[in-house]
């Protein structure tokens, strides 16, 4: 028998309702900023998938999306600092307005790497959208153009975010028991 995953959660940091409201606010902001412009979202696997799915469903305007796969966390809670490309993008972004969608901006290494990788395809512009912005000193000089929540330096799971590939399916964001 399995234990209910909720037993592993110390506390809920952001509820389903808080996330839902924030995502619709972000949709409104992005929608008005990209009025009259083409929009291509590139989501960073796998942490961003729930966020992306909720985000895109808020838009009535045309848009495209694709995924990029990178890894830096080798399973645990501590980043190795090395970012590796696991999956290339498969759509043409030349001359397009790219919005990179990710779960968390932490040290900035992941999004710095992704931005650098995407630049070689000569998009018109690259902007960054994350659900969670950690208030820490970045290792890389990269900032989010759109972010949902600022949080202190705690380790969170749920709504796409994992610990050793578990807990991604939780509909809220929580802090794990030690
Ligand atoms: P960075 O490269 O900015 O240090 O980290 C970004 C990536 O690390 C995020 O996309 C996410 O996958 C992972 N990450 C950073 N902080 C957390 C956290 O608190 N919880 C989880 N599950 N992943 C995190
Ligand atoms: Mg990630």
């Amino acid at each position: 028998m399995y234990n209910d995953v909720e037993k592993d959660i110390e506390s809920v940091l952001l509820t389903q309702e808080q996330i839902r409201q924030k995502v619709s606010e972000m949709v409104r902001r992005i929608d008005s900023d990209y009025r009259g412009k083409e929009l291509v979202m590139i989501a960073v696997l796998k942490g961003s998938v729930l966020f992306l799915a909720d985000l895109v469903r808020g838009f009535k305007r045309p848009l495209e999306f694709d995924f990029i796969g990178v890894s830096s966390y080798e399973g645990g809670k501590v980043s190795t600092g090395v970012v590796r490309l696991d999956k290339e993008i498969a759509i043409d972004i030349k001359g397009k307005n790219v919005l990179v969608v990710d779960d968390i901006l932490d040290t900035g290494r992941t999004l710095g790497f992704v931005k650098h990788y995407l630049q070689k395809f000569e998009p018109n512009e690259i902007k960054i959208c994350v659900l969670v912005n950690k208030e820490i000193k970045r290792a890389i000089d990269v900032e989010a153009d759109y972010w949902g929540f600022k949080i202190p330096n705690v380790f969170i799971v749920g709504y796409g975010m994992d610990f050793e590939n578990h807990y991604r399916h939780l509909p809220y964001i929580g802090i794990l028991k030690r």
Side-chain angles (χ1 to χ4, degrees):
M1 267 305 284
Y2 297 109
N3 281 323
D4 194 323
V5 288
E6 308 235 322
K7 290 198 181 73
D8 300 340
I9 303 300
E10 176 86 55
S11 61
V12 175
L13 187 67
L14 299 162
T15 65
Q16 259 183 284
E17 184 52 26
Q18 283 175 300
I19 297 169
R20 197 192 59 75
Q21 280 190 19
K22 188 60 78 177
V23 171
S24 33
E25 269 172 42
M26 295 178 83
V27 168
R28 281 198 296 275
R29 271 206 319 270
I30 296 165
D31 194 42
S32 98
D33 290 356
Y34 284 82
R35 198 150 291 160
K37 291 163 78 176
E38 263 184 292
L39 171 58
V40 183
M41 294 186 184
I42 302 290
V44 184
L45 291 171
K46 295 178 270 203
S48 68
V49 292
L50 274 71
F51 178 38
L52 179 81
D54 284 340
L55 196 66
V56 293
R57 280 181 287 181
F59 289 95
K60 295 195 170 62
R61 54 154 297 138
L63 61 82
E64 295 173 75
F65 66 79
D66 193 9
F67 297 97
I68 181 173
V70 295
S71 48
S72 61
Y73 276 47
E74 307 273 80
K77 287 188 183 178
V78 184
S79 171
T80 56
V82 183
V83 183
R84 194 183 65 198
L85 183 70
D86 295 331
K87 186 212 164 288
E88 303 239 11
I89 56 165
I91 57 175
D92 185 13
I93 59 165
K94 187 167 179 160
K96 303 265 180 82
N97 303 305
V98 172
L99 185 62
V100 178
V101 177
D102 204 359
D103 50 1
I104 308 183
L105 175 60
D106 187 14
T107 64
R109 286 195 179 96
T110 303
L111 287 167
F113 176 93
V114 168
K115 242 183 140 167
H116 186 257
Y117 163 84
L118 293 174
Q119 244 134 24
K120 66 176 191 227
F121 298 102
E122 299 174 359
N124 179 52
E125 64 171 29
I126 302 174
K127 289 197 168 171
I128 289 178
C129 171
V130 293
L131 183 64
V132 176
N133 190 347
K134 279 197 186 174
E135 293 191 285
I136 63 152
K137 196 177 175 317
R138 310 259 183 257
I140 300 290
D141 183 24
V142 52
E143 269 315 318
D145 299 280
Y146 304 93
W147 48 267
F149 302 98
K150 276 209 168 151
I151 68 160
N153 193 16
V154 290
F155 188 83
I156 55 178
V157 295
Y159 199 68
M161 291 167 269
D162 74 310
F163 176 63
E164 294 180 343
N165 270 314
H166 284 274
Y167 309 106
R168 290 194 199 275
H169 63 302
L170 295 177
Y172 54 83
I173 293 174
I175 297 172
L176 269 189
K177 282 182 187 158
R178 299 176 159 273

